[in-house]
Amino acid sequence: GLAVLLCSSALAQGLSGKVVGFSQIGSESGWRAAETSVTKAEAERLGIDLKFADAQQKQENQIKAIRGFIAQGVDAILVAPVVATGWEEVLTEAKEASIPVVLLDRGIEAPEDLYLTSVASDQVKEGRVAGEWLVGAVGDKECKVVELQGTVGSSPAINRKQGFEEGIAGAANVSIIRSQTGDFTRSKGKEVMEGFIKAEGGGAGICAVYSHNDDMAVGAIQAIKDAGLKPGTDILVVSIDAVPDIFAAMVAGEANATVELTPNMAGPAFAALDAYLNGGTVPEKFIITESKLYTPADDPQGEYDRRKGLGY
Ligand code: GZL
């Protein structure tokens, strides 16, 4: 009777009319652009008034944006934290203003009471799956790997490096010979891969490139081709995100494996905020999204077509 009515009215209230600030890192990759469009679409669907701030990959811009949201008195704040450190002061200010903070797709090193919950993939697992795939692909052939790291100090860069090293630890024939950040962008990934190829006498000895995201891998593919080598055969290409263009590369025989990262972090984030703001339910601290390996055996053209409409 009444209880059900009250409960359903609370649930029905949802987040409509709520004001949520979103401090987004930037638009450094296709995946990031997809996360932004999915988040905006989810907010629209739920009737949320989303205040969006693009930080151009600078932490100080994120901190400024969060301070602005606090001053506006928003109901909640979403943050995709560009790096893992330096958040305690501003998140303490949000806590003191009783504004719940939800972290998206990257983690931070800070007391867990400074955020309501974190929605992200298991980035160590992503790296491990990539490493295990490469070990399986090369058998007992010697394989010298070059690594394109994500943004220095970001949780995905730290975790995906650790995971990959775990994944290849059991294979003495597979080793990382060079590793450098490409800051998750295509242009930097191409530039760093050009440097690796030059430093390795033209690249003939490089067996594989492991890239912390597909965008740097797409840049590396161009550098490999410019050097007269065949990506996908002379140099294997394994990366993470599963954006449309890595599937296009697979169709062209130029990429070999990617680990999917869903761009829909907002769905679980808004659900947690709804339960918390409308029912006082405290969500689990870490909401982990699924990861899935894709290779050219998995209908890359179909995967490209399916994702093309998702805002990448
Ligand atoms: C990982 C996410 C990374 C993507 C990149 O969760 O933070 O940031 O893998 C993006 O494409 O730049």
Side-chain angles (χ1 to χ4, degrees):
L2 183 60
V4 170
L5 190 65
L6 285 177
C7 174
S8 60
S9 70
L11 285 181
Q13 188 183 348
L15 294 175
S16 178
K18 297 288 185 195
V19 182
V20 177
F22 178 19
S23 171
Q24 177 60 297
I25 290 173
S27 52
E28 74 282 358
S29 71
W31 184 88
R32 181 69 50 196
E35 184 189 56
T36 293
S37 55
V38 168
T39 302
K40 287 180 175 176
E42 273 294 287
E44 178 90 21
R45 184 177 69 82
L46 295 167
I48 290 167
D49 178 2
L50 191 75
K51 305 292 185 190
F52 181 77
D54 177 319
Q56 279 90 40
Q57 280 193 280
K58 292 184 175 59
Q59 180 173 32
E60 67 263 22
N61 291 343
Q62 292 202 276
I63 291 171
K64 266 187 225 136
I66 294 166
R67 290 205 161 110
F69 296 146
I70 294 168
Q72 282 176 50
V74 299
D75 296 300
I77 295 172
L78 302 181
V79 193
V82 59
V83 291
T85 56
W87 298 100
E88 291 196 36
E89 188 182 340
V90 72
L91 294 186
T92 301
E93 291 165 24
K95 185 176 175 66
E96 283 164 356
S98 304
I99 299 174
V101 172
V102 175
L103 305 181
L104 298 189
D105 79 77
R106 294 188 186 179
I108 62 173
E109 290 157 25
E112 293 180 4
D113 68 337
L114 290 182
Y115 52 95
L116 178 66
T117 185
S118 158
V119 181
S121 58
D122 178 342
Q123 295 158 354
V124 175
K125 175 182 173 186
E126 292 166 337
R128 195 169 50 247
V129 167
E132 288 167 352
W133 173 84
L134 183 60
V135 168
V138 300
D140 53 13
K141 186 170 76 71
E142 188 195 26
C143 186
K144 291 178 177 174
V145 186
V146 293
E147 178 182 27
L148 295 170
Q149 295 181 33
T151 299
V152 176
S154 68
S155 68
I158 294 161
N159 295 332
R160 288 171 179 173
K161 180 166 193 43
Q162 177 193 328
F164 186 82
E165 286 165 356
E166 288 173 5
I168 66 171
N173 57 309
V174 182
S175 62
I176 298 172
I177 56 167
R178 292 181 186 276
S179 181
Q180 194 179 325
T181 183
D183 210 16
F184 284 128
T185 69
R186 291 189 185 206
S187 56
K188 202 84 172 64
K190 177 172 182 280
E191 193 186 305
V192 172
M193 189 67 193
E194 284 163 354
F196 287 157
I197 289 168
K198 205 169 286 155
E200 289 296 322
I206 299 173
C207 154
V209 51
Y210 164 54
S211 177
H212 291 186
N213 81 334
D214 293 341
D215 280 61
M216 292 189 291
V218 168
I221 286 167
Q222 191 54 53
I224 294 167
K225 286 158 73 168
D226 293 349
L229 296 168
K230 287 200 259 351
T233 42
D234 294 334
I235 298 181
L236 298 176
V237 180
V238 52
S239 58
I240 300 166
D241 278 354
V243 299
D245 284 347
I246 204 67
F247 290 109
M250 286 185 187
V251 170
E254 295 175 349
N256 305 91
T258 186
V259 183
E260 182 175 40
L261 172 69
T262 176
N264 183 6
M265 301 290 176
F270 287 144
L273 278 173
D274 187 355
Y276 179 70
L277 292 173
N278 291 315
T281 309
V282 179
E284 52 187 302
K285 189 56 72 173
F286 298 98
I287 298 171
I288 309 295
T289 61
E290 284 301 303
S291 310
K292 184 175 184 294
L293 176 72
Y294 284 90
T295 72
D298 299 310
D299 181 20
Q301 186 59 54
E303 292 304 329
Y304 176 89
D305 296 340
R306 197 160 67 80
R307 285 169 174 74
K308 207 54 195 146
L310 292 181
Y312 283 95

